[in-house]
C-alpha cells in the first residue's frame, strides 16, 4: 500500500498507488500524486515491470510525470536499460500529450514507458499474473481491476458510485479493496463515490473474503468508517494504511 488518500493527499501521504507482487513480478496499480516518492522508498523503481492505470483522474495517474522523468534521465534507469510497460485506459495517450504538452513535452510519458491503451475486454498476462478489467460507473470512464495468480485473487474497485458491476466482477474474490471516500452520499444527481457502509454492502454481496477500504482522507473518523463498513459487510473490515502489506492466499 503506497498511497490511499483521496484526491488530495494526507500530510506526508500519497493518493492511489498499490504495489502488487507475485512470482518475482512487480506491478504498480495506479500512480497518483505522491506515489512515485513512496515507490522509491519501498522498492527500486526500475524493478517495476508494469504500471496499470484504472482511470484518468489525476489522483490515479499524475505521478507518471515524475516517474517518466526518472526513467528518461536517472542513472538507475539508464543502467537498467528497459522500460516498464504502461497499461492505461483508452484515450490515455491523448490525455498524457495534452498534460505534458503544456510545457512542450508531448511525448514524455509515451517515450519513457512502453505505452499500451488496454482493451478492457481483454485479459493481460504478466507471466503468472493475470489482469482483468471491468468498467464501473464514475465521473469518467473507469475500470475495476482484478489480478489473479495461482488461484488467489485481488480485486480493486477503483473509484465508483454504487453499482452492480463491481459486485459481479468481484464475486468470491480473496481480497477486495473498495474506495470509501464519502462520509455522506453526494447530493448531486450524478454520484461518483461510495460511503463506508456502501462499500461494506457491496463487498458482502460480492462474497469477498476480506475487505480493505481505501481512498479515504485521514481527516475522516476511522473508527466510525470501520464500524459503518463492518455493519453492512457482516465481518471485520480493514482500513488501508500506507506501508501495509496484504497477502493473498494461494
Ligand atoms: Zn476518480
Ligand atoms: Zn480517485
Amino acid at each position: 500500500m503506497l498511497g490511499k488518500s483521496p484526491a488530495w493527499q494526507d500530510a506526508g501521504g500519497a493518493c492511489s498507488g498499490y504495489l502488487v507482487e507475485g512470482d518475482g513480478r512487480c506491478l504498480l496499480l495506479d500512480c497518483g500524486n505522491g506515489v512515485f516518492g513512496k515507490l522509491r522508498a519501498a522498492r527500486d523503481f526500475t524493478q517495476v515491470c508494469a504500471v496499470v492505470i484504472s482511470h484518468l483522474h489525476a489522483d490515479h495517474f499524475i505521478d507518471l510525470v515524475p516517474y517518466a522523468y526518472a526513467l528518461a534521465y536517472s542513472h538507475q534507469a539508464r543502467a537498467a536499460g528497459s522500460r516498464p510497460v504502461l497499461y492505461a485506459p483508452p484515450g490515455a495517450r491523448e490525455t498524457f500529450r495534452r498534460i505534458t504538452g503544456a510545457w512542450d513535452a508531448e511525448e514524455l510519458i509515451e517515450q519513457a514507458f512502453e505505452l499500451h491503451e488496454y482493451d478492457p475486454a481483454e485479459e493481460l498476462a504478466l507471466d503468472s499474473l493475470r489482469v482483468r478489467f471491468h468498467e464501473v460507473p464514475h465521473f469518467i470512464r473507469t475500470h475495476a481491476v482484478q489480478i489473479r495468480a495461482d488461484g488467489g485473487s485481488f480485486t480493486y474497485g477503483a473509484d465508483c458510485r454504487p453499482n452492480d458491476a463491481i459486485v459481479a466482477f468481484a464475486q468470491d474474490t480473496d481480497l477486495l479493496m473498495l474506495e470509501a471516500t464519502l462520509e455522506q452520499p453526494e447530493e448531486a444527481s450524478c454520484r461518483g463515490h461510495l460511503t463506508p457502509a456502501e462499500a461494506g454492502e457491496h463487498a458482502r454481496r460480492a462474497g469477498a473474503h476480506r475487505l480493505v477500504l481505501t481512498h479515504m482522507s485521514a481527516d475522516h473518523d476511522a473508527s466510525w468508517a470501520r464500524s459503518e463498513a463492518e455493519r453492512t459487510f457482516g465481518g471485520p473490515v480493514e482500513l488501508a494504511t500506507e506501508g501495509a502489506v496484504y497477502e493473498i492466499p494461494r
Side-chain angles (χ1 to χ4, degrees), residues 7 54-60 138-142 158-160 179 192-193 215:
S54 64
H55 67 299
L56 295 172
H57 272 158
D59 57 320
H60 296 257
H138 184 45
F139 299 119
I140 60 171
R141 191 172 182 188
T142 297
D159 289 354
C160 60
E179 64 128 301
H193 293 287
H215 209 268

Side-chain angles (χ1 to χ4, degrees), residues 94-111:
E94 183 52 36
T95 298
F96 297 154
R97 285 183 173 185
R98 281 212 315 273
I99 288 171
T100 62
W103 60 93
D104 294 331
E106 281 85 355
E107 297 179 343
L108 172 71
I109 290 175
E110 65 197 70
Q111 288 181 345

Side-chain angles (χ1 to χ4, degrees), residues 16-160:
S16 292
Y18 312 100
L19 210 49
V20 183
E21 295 176 311
D23 290 342
R25 303 288 273 178
C26 179
L27 180 158
L28 176 63
L29 180 53
D30 279 347
C31 190
N33 11 334
V35 167
F36 185 62
K38 300 289 182 184
L39 170 64
R40 296 200 65 190
R43 294 286 184 277
D44 172 353
F45 69 88
T46 66
Q47 298 303 304
V48 173
C49 67
V51 181
V52 177
I53 301 294
S54 64
H55 67 299
L56 295 172
H57 272 158
D59 57 320
H60 296 257
F61 81 88
I62 205 70
D63 260 24
L64 291 175
V65 173
Y67 196 166
Y69 278 116
L71 293 170
Y73 296 112
S74 72
H75 63 82
Q76 299 98 313
R78 269 201 301 278
S82 63
R83 298 187 297 171
V85 185
L86 171 58
Y87 296 103
R93 185 182 302 269
E94 183 52 36
T95 298
F96 297 154
R97 285 183 173 185
R98 281 212 315 273
I99 288 171
T100 62
W103 60 93
D104 294 331
E106 281 85 355
E107 297 179 343
L108 172 71
I109 290 175
E110 65 197 70
Q111 288 181 345
F113 296 87
E114 185 186 322
L115 174 61
H116 293 276
E117 293 185 3
Y118 56 74
D119 174 352
E122 286 184 4
E123 183 177 285
L124 307 177
L126 306 168
D127 289 338
S128 64
L129 297 182
R130 302 272 168 175
V131 182
R132 296 198 302 142
F133 301 94
H134 200 288
E135 191 165 347
V136 289
H138 184 45
F139 299 119
I140 60 171
R141 191 172 182 188
T142 297
H143 306 93
V145 181
Q146 185 171 72
I147 301 171
R148 294 182 164 271
D150 297 326
S153 73
F154 160 58
T155 307
Y156 167 50
D159 289 354
C160 60

